[in-house]
Amino acid sequence: MPKNSKVTQREHSNEHVTESVADLLAHEEPVDYKHSVLNMAGETQDKQKDVEEDLEAEDRPAWNSKLQYILAQIGFSVGLGNVWRFPYLCQKNGGGAYLVPYLVLLIIIGIPLFFLELAVGQRIRRGSIGVWHYVCPRLGGIGFSSCIVCIFVGLYYNVIIAWSIFYFFKSFQYPLPWSECPVIRNGTTVVVEEECDKSSATTYFWYREALDISNSISESGGLNWKMTLSLLVAWSIVGMAVVKGIQSSGKVMYFSSLFPYVVLACFLVRGLLLRGAVDGILHMFTPKLDKMLDPQVWREAATQVFFALGLGFGGVIAFSSYNKQDNNCHFDAALVSFINFFTSVLATLVVFAVLGFKANIMNEKCVVENAEKILGYLNTNVLSHDLIPPHVNFSHLTAHDYSEMYKVIMTVKEDRFQELGLDPCLLEDELNKSVQGTGLAFIAFTEAMTHFPASPFWSVMFFLMLINLGLGSMIGTMAGITTPIIDTFKVPKEMFTVGCCIVAFLVGLLFVQRSGNYFVTMFDDYSATLPLTVIVILENIAVSWIYGTKKFMQELTEMLGFRPYQFYFYMWKYVSPLCMAVLTTASIIQLGVTPPGYSAWIKEEAAERYLYFPNWAMAILITLIVLATLPIPVVFILRQFHLLSDGSNTLSVSYKKGRMMKDISNLEENDETRFILSKMPSETPSPMPTHRSYLGPGSTSPLEMSSAPNGRYGSGYLLASTPESEL
């Protein structure tokens, strides 16, 4: 021990030491305790192995800069859901009024739990498996469940990137291939493709040209070779981005995280210059305050907050584990959360500016088609010319003029009005048509872009943005798989990553058969929703109720250099677990009340029809949920009945650069005196009941005796290495 250390100085004095064991150790200089007399476990350690573990702890990869790390977290949390899920929920749940429950839940659930994941990853410097084994060994299955959920999500999420890649390459032509219906030539006769004629050009291109979709999930139809090649390209891109860990993915993030904002800004400026854009934005943000009282709105807002930040996947923990110990993760949590919210609002503005333009185009088309019907009725004397207002000019018919004419005809021909087959052609009806997910990106938005000047340019930009949004999320998802596995099982990084991508591509062929879109729907709706809510609520309980909120707050104070707001204490301890329990219960009820199903495209009808999953698909669905949550009870049972070692039979305190990484969790506060003053016959406890005394140099400390165990702790006082080598 160093001569100038406080412990050495006090050994040569007769003063009693009143500090606790934790206080003594927290102020001590870093020492190789593995090879000191304090190690009483009776176990011999291989010196070379210790050196290698210490070097591994010191050589853990780190971000090149704070900006690179922030961009990685933004790239992971900001994904496709911000572009095609949030705008739909905003429209469906009260427009501008939806922002109120979303912001409230972001503050009381999102930011606290996001901060918690950032903090545990940075503190323990391990992936999700190592982190939750460290916090609570009996709940160590949380990390394995996170990995399984990441595997499920990564399998189908990269298929969406493959779709975007296909559309990206198809955008390099004019006119865009989805702008017109294909025609069938039979000699001198030209006939429009029936399926396209019944639907629309963009809908036909999506379902028939891109997916070549079957009528149901039971009809496989074989592989779609175009999507198979696109999926191969997608996994190749992801593999190259993550093969070197954060050394490669960190550089990719500079482009993949920033480019979507450039595109969104360009689309917003272009969208605001379009005719009808203001109609879409006003429709979007007109608040329907009565919706705020609907519990379903709050449930969907909580779910969106939960998934928007990427909680429970392990990617947040993996990225933060490469940070320095003194990084201000509290600031990072607030910054990334509000950037995520800002991105969702920005994307909503863009989407509804463009959809407002599209609604005006479709409304004008409706007016023209119905005006032709009225002219036909006038020419055949079905309708009298007296019904037409004198100022109406059919060659320049406006939506207002048509609406006036429509109301007059409906009033006069009330009995036979339905037979006329006239549509009201209201702009509000077009704006109320809710679209989300693939329907928004690959049908509604692509249709709107066909009316843009220089439409191929905007199409290329849009799908390149989708590719980058998906790539940022995929890098985080892959980190949620590779980081904990590499940390825990010490497998070679490059070989394991390449192997993962190859296997994922082969399994992903399930999603590029003709019925593959239905499997994407199944995985998207059911493989992650319920398991992730269970994972996050157990993460919250493990830290706040098992590890201890006070203890966690104290360690955060040591790590950050300041004490986090007391607000987090109450959120972690009470509010967040309660809200997550309600969300979990609501998700289970929703799953039970609504029979699982999917929207199938029926070729003969050229329309969607909602179908229920067959029994074998239900078995797959249930298996996905069970597999994702199974590691949690399995690990708990194995460690509860000592079938799997949890490390709790040894008292370990870990050091890294002089900072205590883990407190003496096995000791109760009143047991510290008994720990130092073991009840041996040769020892005499201090007569001062109010102080914990340190035995002077004249006595034999129980820490130096290796022949007997330390009371009820059995295995002595073992000071181990850092968590990097321990877990």
Side-chain angles (χ1 to χ4, degrees):
M1 188 174 291
K3 293 181 180 179
N4 296 326
S5 70
K6 295 179 182 179
V7 175
T8 307
Q9 291 172 5
R10 288 169 180 169
E11 283 182 348
H12 295 286
S13 68
N14 293 324
E15 296 178 9
H16 291 288
V17 179
T18 59
E19 288 88 351
S20 67
V21 172
D23 293 334
L24 269 174
L25 294 176
H27 292 92
E28 187 53 85
E29 297 176 8
V31 180
D32 186 3
Y33 285 97
K34 282 186 178 181
H35 305 96
S36 73
V37 293
L38 293 177
N39 189 344
M40 294 183 59
E43 300 175 1
T44 59
Q45 301 289 339
D46 182 70
K47 185 177 293 185
Q48 183 63 32
K49 182 180 178 182
D50 294 341
V51 172
E52 289 175 357
E53 289 178 347
D54 292 340
L55 286 174
E56 180 194 345
E58 295 300 324
D59 293 340
R60 184 173 182 81
W63 298 104
N64 292 334
S65 65
K66 180 65 175 283
L67 176 62
Q68 191 180 78
Y69 164 68
I70 292 296
L71 289 177
Q73 290 287 14
I74 292 172
F76 177 51
S77 65
V78 175
L80 297 172
N82 296 75
V83 174
W84 66 32
R85 177 69 176 167
F86 186 89
Y88 162 76
L89 291 175
C90 204
Q91 178 195 21
K92 175 187 174 186
N93 295 319
Y98 174 74
L99 300 180
V100 175
Y102 186 87
L103 268 176
V104 170
L105 293 167
L106 178 67
I107 292 171
I108 67 173
I109 294 181
I111 296 178
L113 294 179
F114 191 61
F115 179 31
L116 184 145
E117 289 202 357
L118 289 179
V120 295
Q122 180 174 310
R123 181 70 170 169
I124 303 170
R125 294 175 62 79
R126 300 294 282 173
S128 56
I129 294 176
V131 160
W132 300 114
H133 170 80
Y134 177 87
V135 171
C136 178
R138 283 175 175 77
L139 291 179
I142 294 175
F144 290 98
S145 289
S146 292
C147 285
I148 293 174
V149 170
C150 282
I151 291 171
F152 290 161
V153 171
L155 285 173
Y156 79 83
Y157 202 87
N158 219 25
V159 176
I160 301 175
I161 298 178
W163 294 341
S164 302
I165 291 172
F166 175 77
Y167 268 79
F168 172 75
F169 285 110
K170 285 290 185 178
S171 298
F172 289 95
Q173 50 187 300
Y174 184 82
L176 291 171
W178 51 82
S179 60
E180 296 177 352
C181 282
V183 294
I184 301 174
R185 297 185 182 275
N186 186 9
T188 58
T189 307
V190 178
V191 181
V192 177
E193 175 66 46
E194 183 182 3
E195 186 180 2
C196 183
D197 191 40
K198 289 181 179 179
S199 53
S200 69
T202 50
T203 303
Y204 173 83
F205 186 87
W206 166 241
Y207 283 118
R208 191 55 51 211
E209 296 293 334
L211 300 181
D212 193 18
I213 200 165
S214 60
N215 283 357
S216 73
I217 195 172
S218 300
E219 301 174 26
S220 169
L223 289 178
N224 180 343
W225 67 268
K226 292 178 287 189
M227 286 304 162
T228 303
L229 291 177
S230 299
L231 183 63
L232 179 61
V233 173
W235 275 114
S236 300
I237 294 173
V238 171
M240 289 186 290
V242 301
V243 68
K244 296 288 186 181
I246 62 171
Q247 279 79 15
S248 56
S249 63
K251 295 179 177 64
V252 173
M253 286 298 182
Y254 282 113
F255 181 78
S256 65
S257 296
L258 293 176
F259 181 74
Y261 291 96
V262 175
V263 176
L264 285 175
C266 293
F267 263 100
L268 180 61
V269 173
R270 184 69 189 92
L272 292 175
L273 297 176
L274 295 172
R275 178 170 44 89
V278 176
D279 295 329
I281 293 174
L282 288 177
H283 175 78
M284 176 67 253
F285 287 104
T286 301
K288 303 175 182 66
L289 299 178
D290 57 307
K291 287 280 190 177
M292 291 178 59
L293 303 177
D294 186 355
Q296 180 72 3
V297 172
W298 289 81
R299 187 189 75 83
E300 292 190 346
T303 305
Q304 179 62 17
V305 167
F306 179 78
F307 286 105
L309 294 174
L311 299 174
F313 284 94
V316 173
I317 294 175
F319 282 157
S320 64
S321 72
Y322 300 115
N323 268 332
K324 295 179 181 179
Q325 280 282 312
D326 58 352
N327 175 63
N328 188 352
C329 56
H330 173 258
F331 172 78
D332 299 343
L335 177 65
V336 173
S337 298
F338 282 108
I339 288 178
N340 188 294
F341 174 69
F342 164 76
T343 307
S344 297
V345 174
L346 176 62
T348 300
L349 286 171
V350 171
V351 166
F352 277 90
V354 173
L355 291 184
F357 165 70
K358 174 178 174 288
N360 272 267
I361 295 292
M362 299 306 293
N363 196 55
E364 289 175 0
K365 184 179 178 182
C366 176
V367 168
V368 170
E369 289 176 352
N370 283 272
E372 290 177 354
K373 288 183 182 179
I374 294 175
L375 281 174
Y377 293 140
L378 291 173
N379 294 332
T380 56
N381 296 321
V382 174
L383 293 176
S384 170
H385 287 273
D386 297 334
L387 298 178
I388 308 302
H391 65 276
V392 171
N393 183 354
F394 277 90
S395 60
H396 296 88
L397 189 65
T398 65
H400 180 268
D401 290 341
Y402 173 78
S403 177
E404 185 179 348
M405 187 169 53
Y406 177 86
K407 290 177 181 177
V408 172
I409 296 173
M410 184 173 63
T411 303
V412 174
K413 296 286 186 178
E414 184 176 356
D415 296 336
R416 300 180 58 191
F417 181 75
Q418 295 295 331
E419 298 175 6
L420 299 177
L422 298 178
D423 298 317
C425 296
L426 297 176
L427 181 63
E428 190 72 14
D429 292 341
E430 287 293 335
L431 291 171
N432 281 329
K433 290 180 180 179
S434 300
V435 286
Q436 63 163 325
T438 55
L440 174 62
F442 298 104
I443 298 178
F445 218 87
T446 53
E447 183 173 352
M449 286 187 295
T450 59
H451 301 287
F452 282 19
S455 54
F457 168 77
W458 294 105
S459 184
V460 167
M461 293 284 282
F462 177 71
F463 289 109
L464 187 58
M465 178 189 72
L466 291 187
I467 292 169
N468 280 276
L469 284 172
L471 181 60
S473 297
M474 272 302 298
I475 289 174
T477 303
M478 289 296 292
I481 301 170
T482 58
T483 298
I485 298 296
I486 291 170
D487 285 348
T488 305
F489 301 105
K490 312 300 180 190
V491 295
K493 181 189 301 180
E494 288 83 0
M495 186 182 300
F496 177 70
T497 304
V498 172
C500 280
C501 292
I502 293 173
V503 172
F505 167 72
L506 294 176
V507 177
L509 295 178
L510 171 71
F511 303 101
V512 291
Q513 55 183 338
R514 291 183 59 199
S515 61
N517 185 50
Y518 306 136
F519 286 97
V520 170
T521 301
M522 176 195 292
F523 274 66
D524 187 31
D525 291 344
Y526 302 104
S527 70
T529 305
L530 184 59
L532 279 179
T533 54
V534 173
I535 288 169
V536 174
I537 193 173
L538 289 177
E539 287 181 357
N540 197 170
I541 291 172
V543 171
S544 59
W545 287 95
I546 299 176
Y547 192 78
T549 312
K550 290 183 179 179
K551 181 172 160 184
F552 186 58
M553 291 285 282
Q554 180 59 36
E555 291 192 351
L556 286 181
T557 304
E558 295 173 5
M559 181 174 73
L560 300 176
F562 63 89
R563 185 172 182 82
Y565 298 118
Q566 199 68 12
F567 162 81
Y568 291 105
F569 178 89
Y570 294 106
M571 292 299 105
W572 288 332
K573 189 82 171 178
Y574 305 109
V575 179
S576 294
L578 179 62
C579 291
M580 289 303 302
V582 172
L583 179 59
T584 304
T585 305
S587 299
I588 295 173
I589 293 173
Q590 183 74 12
L591 193 62
V593 170
T594 307
Y598 61 100
S599 292
W601 178 259
I602 309 301
K603 180 178 180 179
E604 293 73 22
E605 301 173 6
E608 290 184 339
R609 185 195 301 170
Y610 190 82
L611 301 177
Y612 295 118
F613 284 116
N615 292 334
W616 62 266
M618 285 294 297
I620 294 176
L621 187 153
I622 294 171
T623 303
L624 292 175
I625 298 175
V626 171
L627 283 178
T629 53
L630 189 61
I632 298 173
V634 167
V635 172
F636 181 85
I637 292 171
L638 291 177
R639 285 178 172 159
Q640 179 67 27
F641 294 99
H642 308 293
L643 301 175
L644 181 67
S645 174
D646 62 0
S648 62
N649 60 337
T650 59
L651 182 68
S652 63
V653 181
S654 302
Y655 283 85
K656 183 172 179 64
K657 297 184 180 179
R659 180 176 283 127
M660 185 159 65
M661 295 294 292
K662 186 172 184 181
D663 206 350
I664 308 172
S665 58
N666 301 59
L667 291 177
E668 298 174 1
E669 185 177 354
N670 297 331
D671 289 334
E672 290 182 2
T673 304
R674 290 168 57 193
F675 174 69
I676 299 179
L677 300 176
S678 180
K679 302 301 181 180
M680 301 291 289
S682 61
E683 298 167 1
T684 305
S686 169
M688 300 178 65
T690 59
H691 295 284
R692 300 182 179 93
S693 301
Y694 181 84
L695 295 180
S699 303
T700 303
S701 170
L703 298 178
E704 297 174 359
M705 300 183 64
S706 59
S707 59
N710 267 341
R712 61 178 178 147
Y713 300 103
S715 59
Y717 188 31
L718 173 64
L719 286 168
S721 61
T722 63
E724 280 81 344
S725 60
E726 177 184 275
L727 300 178

